[in-house]
Amino acid sequence: GRFGIDPFLVAAPAIGLLAGAIIALRLVPLLARIIDRAASRQRGLVASLGAWQVARRPLRYARSALLLMIAMAIGLFALSYGSTWELSQQDQANYQVGADVWLQPDIRIGSSVPQYDLAQAQQQVPGVEETMAANRDFLDVSRSSGSGQILAIDAAQAASIVSFRSDLSKTPFTNLMASLKAKRPTLPTVQIPGTPQQLAFDVKMTLDPLKTPSSGPPPRSTDIFPSIDIVVQDARGVLYDLQGGSFHSDGTTQRLLVPLAYRMDNGVVAMPTFPISLVSLELGVVPLRGMPRTGTFELQDVQANTQLNGTSWTPLNIDWSNFNWSESQIGLSEAPSITPSGQQVPGGFSVKINSGATRGNGLVPLTFYLQPKGQRPTDAMPAIVNNTFLADTDSKVGDTVSLDVADARRPITIVGSVSAFPTLDPSEPGIIVDFPTLMVMQYEANASVLDEDEYWIKTSPGKSDAVAATLAQSPFSSPTVDTRVDRTDTLRTDPVALGILGALSLGFVAAALFAAIGFAVSSAVSARERLTEFALLRALGLSTRQLSSWLTLENGLLVVFSLVSGTILGLVLAYFILPLVSLTQAAAQTIPDITVVIPWRSVIILEGTSLAALVIVVAVLATMLRRIGLGSSLRLGEE
C-alpha cells in the first residue's frame, strides 16, 4: 500500500539487454559456419577465406560483436523511449483535457455572458472553430461497484472536437456518436420565427376578493407575487430557462422583457443558436400562506424584437389552443387548479387560477406549466459505457440496464463501449450520453433545466493559448481554463523521465565510443597478429586488393551481424519493456496506455552513422595492410 521501487522493473532493461546479447553471441559461431559452408561452394577465394576465418575463431570476434550489439540496442532503445515518451505526453494531455481548450464557465447571473448566448459568444473569439457544452455528474451504478461517472456531451459535435484515440474503442468514434444522436428524443415545441434578440410578454393578473368566513377570525390579507419564465430549445437541442421576472397582481397590464442576446464589450452581439423553439411557459406563484387565492391571469400579447435595444416590435402569432396546462405542487393541503376563463384575448389567453392552500403559514412555491401538445419522449436513454461498467454490471453492448439518471429511475440502452474516455477515470464505471438527450430526460422528469457546467472547444492551430487567455477575462470570466498545449508542456517537464532520457543518451554515447574503440583495437590487433599469414598469402599470389577485400569481408560480417542483432534486440526491449517502465509523474500507469513508437528515420540515421564510422575503421586497416613489406614480414616469420 505504499509507493516504492520495483527492483525488477528498474533492472529489466539491463537484464533484457544482457540476455539478448548473450543469445546473440551464441549465434555468432552458428552463423559463421553457415556462411563458411555457403562460401566454400563458391569459386572465389576471398569469400571462402573470410568466412573460414570467422568460423575458425568466432570468440575473437565475440567481444567486438558484443560491444557493437549493446551500443546499437541502447541507441535504438533510447530513441524509442524518447519518441514513445513524447507521444505518451501528448496522449495523456489529450485524454486529461479532452479537447484543444476545456473550461468551466462563469454561471453567476449578471456577472458574465448568459449561458444561452455563451456558445455563440465563444465562437466570436478569434481562433475558436467549434464549441461544445457538456455536463458531468456522479451516479449510483450498483451496490457492489458503488458510484460511477456520467459525462454528457453533444453527440452531433463531439466527433470533430473530442480528442479520442482510435484504439480506445473497437468501434470508430464517429459511429459511436452517431448511435447516440440517432436516438435523440424530441420535445413538442413551437418554433419562434426569425432571429429575435428580445421577447416581450404583456400580462395581467387580477385577484378575487378574500371570502369572509361566517364564523371565526377574519382572514389575513395575502398577496400573490407571480412571475413568468420560459424554457426554449436552440438549434443544437440545448434547453435554456429564461427568466421574465415577477409582476404585480393588482389588475394592471405589465410588460415583461426576456432578452435573448448579449452585447459584449467590443460591441458584438452574441445570440442563441437559431432557430429557437418554445418548450414551456411557466407561471410561478410565490408565496402561498395558509388559504387558497383565486383570480384571473391574462397573457395579452407576445412580441419579438430583432434589436436588443430596439423599439420595433412584431407580434408572434402563437396558437395557444394547442397547449396544455399542468402544475407542480409540494406539501399543499388543497390542490391548485388552472382552467380557461372563457374570456377571449386576441393573441393570448385568459385562465382562472386557484393557488391551493398550504398547511399553516409555510411558504410553498407553485408553478403552472403551459406546454405544446404532443407525444412526450418515453424511450430508453442510449449510452456508451466503459469496460469497467460492463464488468461491474455484468452487461454487454445491446443490453438495457436500469439506472438513476436525470432524476428518475430509467432504462439505459448500451449502444457502444470504450476502454476509456477522455477526462473519465477508466478504473471507475462510466457512461457517456448525449447532452441534449439528458436535458430532455431531466426536464421531463422534474421540469428542471441542466446547466452547461463545462465547455470543450476546438481552436485553430496555435491559437489555444490566446483563446484560453481571452476566455479567462471579462466578459467570459471563466474560473477554470485548461489547454492541451499547457497540459502537454507540464507533462514534458517530468524530471524523472527527462533524467532517464539523459541517462540513456549518455549511455548510448559511451557504449558507442567504447564499441568503436574496441572494434578498432580488436581489428588492428587481429591484423597485426596475422601479418605473417598475410605475407605468406601475398607470396602465394594474393594481391593487396584481395587481402583488403578479405579483411573487409571479415569485419563486414561482424559489423552487419552486430547491427542487425543490436537492432532486433533494441526492438524487443522497446516493445516489451517500454509499456511497463513508462509511468506518470505520480508513479502510476499512464492513461491511455503506452503506444510504442519506433522512429525509423532516426534509427536509419543511427545505423547509417554507425556503419559509416565502422567502414572508416576498416578502410584505415586496409590502407595499413597495403603498406606492409612482404620481405620483412616473411623474415619475421622465419625468425
Side-chain angles (χ1 to χ4, degrees), residues 564-575:
V564 172
S565 301
T567 301
I568 296 175
L569 180 57
L571 292 175
V572 171
L573 291 176
Y575 278 112

Side-chain angles (χ1 to χ4, degrees), residues 526-605:
S526 176
R528 190 70 181 177
E529 291 175 349
R530 295 157 59 193
L531 287 179
T532 303
E533 181 181 333
F534 292 152
L536 289 174
L537 290 174
R538 285 282 306 278
L540 291 175
L542 246 65
S543 64
T544 303
R545 182 177 181 181
Q546 288 176 312
L547 289 177
S548 299
S549 300
W550 176 15
L551 186 61
T552 301
L553 179 60
E554 287 182 21
N555 291 282
L557 290 175
L558 173 64
V559 169
V560 172
F561 174 77
S562 300
L563 292 180
V564 172
S565 301
T567 301
I568 296 175
L569 180 57
L571 292 175
V572 171
L573 291 176
Y575 278 112
F576 286 96
I577 294 180
L578 279 181
L580 300 177
V581 300
S582 299
L583 305 175
T584 65
Q585 295 181 7
Q589 194 69 29
T590 60
I591 301 173
D593 294 335
I594 290 291
T595 298
V596 177
V597 178
I598 306 298
W600 290 109
R601 178 178 299 180
S602 300
V603 171
I604 293 174
I605 294 175

Side-chain angles (χ1 to χ4, degrees), residues 53-66:
Q53 181 67 24
V54 176
R56 185 166 67 101
R57 298 177 179 176
L59 295 180
R60 170 180 289 179
Y61 302 93
R63 291 166 294 184
S64 299
L66 178 62

